[in-house]
Amino acid sequence: MAELPTLAVVGATGAVGTVMCDLLSSRKNVWGEIRLIASARSAGRTVRCRGEELTVQALTPEAFDGVDVAMFDVPDEVSAEWAPVAVSRGAVAVDNSGAFRMDRDVPLVVPEINPEQVRNRPKGIIANANCTTLAMIVAVAPLHREYGLRELVLSSYQAVSGVGQVGVDILHDQLSKIAGDRVLGSRPGNVRQAVGDDLGPFPAPLALNVVPWTGSLCDAGWSSEELKLRNESRKILGLPDLKVSATCVRVPVVTGHSVAVHAVFGAEVDAEGAREALRNAPGVIVVDDPAAGEFPMPIDAVGTDPSWVGRIRRSVDDPRALDLFVTGDNLRKGAALNTAQIAELLSAELAATR
């Protein structure tokens, strides 16, 4: 029997890396050695993975020796520096950051949509999409195959865990400060006063509020998150001229990014036909019974793998347009799971050549 390939998880002690270790413990085992790698300050810690206590190694070039696939769950600048190092040591790098997504020589892969692109990796690097894009695109792709997508108008509702544990901590701290005061939110400025100046990574309070901003400022007032939705959707679907307009909003949800989608197609659409296409699509679960109060919501999708889709209806004013609502766990399919699925495709490829 051929030896199973060696996997490295870079950033194993971070929020996404922790979910990754959980996933590796629950999914089909296609790996031999699993090597956990993190910054020097985390080296020596032990993390449970596949029923074993594994010791975290420091991030060094030598840590990649003998590694077949290296998954990166680290900030952009760390991936930009270290993914090429992993490749130089013989590994294929699967990167969850934004460092390589729009590089024309790096495929942007969603296994349910374009798995064949895994083999198209001239730099030895495969990119994972942004977590908001992933929740939405898994649902939009089967509708594109059915009706031919022409345009997307998107509004996101993004959870605080999208910026890491600091976002979760800030939200809970703010909720503690406002708990029990039923006047808050009914007068101008009183929520800001109660929350105070400790806003963490957010430009305004999240408790009792929504903030129409995620990411960094780009040209013409667009945010980086909004442009990611546009550019990554085009690349994943292979539609370079797709019209996409997005507004990204941060909401007081711990985990689970949601997207309201207005999709315009080249052919007339049918709501029940769209539901059927989505029911048969991999990685999608349809939750769509408004009369029974059944909607796709982050409090139900958290901790699960699929994109939850509902509120599916044909536009009142355009027979070629559909409106729908999608939500998904931004730490699972939005990050760790998609990375693991890409790595599993690579494991199968390696197994076939050994």
Side-chain angles (χ1 to χ4, degrees), residues 116-345:
E116 73 286 348
Q117 289 298 316
V118 163
R119 295 179 178 271
N120 177 29
R121 49 177 194 270
K123 290 187 174 180
I125 300 170
I126 300 168
N128 192 37
N130 172 267
C131 48
T132 316
T133 304
L134 277 166
M136 177 272 299
I137 206 74
V138 172
V140 167
L143 298 175
H144 166 54
R145 289 191 289 267
E146 190 76 17
Y147 301 112
L149 185 64
R150 296 291 183 270
E151 183 176 353
L152 288 172
V153 180
L154 309 169
S155 295
S156 76
Y157 306 81
Q158 295 178 222
V160 296
S161 59
V163 299
Q165 186 61 42
V166 63
V168 178
D169 293 340
I170 285 290
L171 176 60
H172 281 297
D173 289 346
Q174 292 181 2
L175 292 173
S176 296
K177 291 177 180 178
I178 66 166
D181 189 339
R182 299 196 175 193
V183 177
L184 291 177
S186 62
R187 297 173 185 167
N190 65 358
V191 171
R192 289 184 182 273
Q193 185 175 9
V195 166
D197 295 330
D198 186 9
L199 302 177
F202 308 117
L206 259 298
L208 301 181
N209 195 29
V210 298
V211 180
W213 187 262
T214 65
S216 56
L217 181 62
C218 298
D219 291 344
W222 293 96
S223 79
S224 57
E225 289 284 310
E226 291 160 351
L227 295 181
K228 285 176 188 177
L229 277 168
R230 172 182 180 267
N231 298 334
E232 293 176 21
S233 296
R234 288 175 158 196
K235 186 172 180 179
I236 293 165
L237 296 173
L239 297 173
D241 298 321
L242 179 67
K243 295 179 180 179
V244 183
S245 183
T247 300
C248 289
V249 181
R250 189 75 67 186
V251 297
V253 170
V254 172
T255 298
H257 288 351
S258 304
V259 184
V261 179
H262 178 79
V264 182
F265 299 92
E268 187 169 327
V269 298
D270 171 74
E272 189 50 47
R275 286 189 195 92
E276 191 62 24
L278 289 165
R279 288 189 191 104
N280 294 325
V284 173
I285 182 170
V286 176
V287 183
D288 193 16
D289 189 352
E294 295 181 359
F295 315 103
M297 295 180 288
I299 58 169
D300 300 316
V302 62
T304 71
D305 292 341
S307 289
W308 294 43
V309 187
R311 298 299 323 282
I312 302 162
R313 60 221 188 269
R314 190 168 82 166
S315 173
V316 174
D317 299 314
D318 187 348
R320 300 172 302 116
L322 278 173
D323 289 277
L324 56 142
F325 193 81
V326 187
T327 192
D329 187 319
N330 50 294
L331 299 180
R332 290 181 74 88
K333 181 57 179 175
L337 176 60
N338 201 72
T339 308
Q341 289 174 307
I342 294 170
E344 288 165 1
L345 292 176

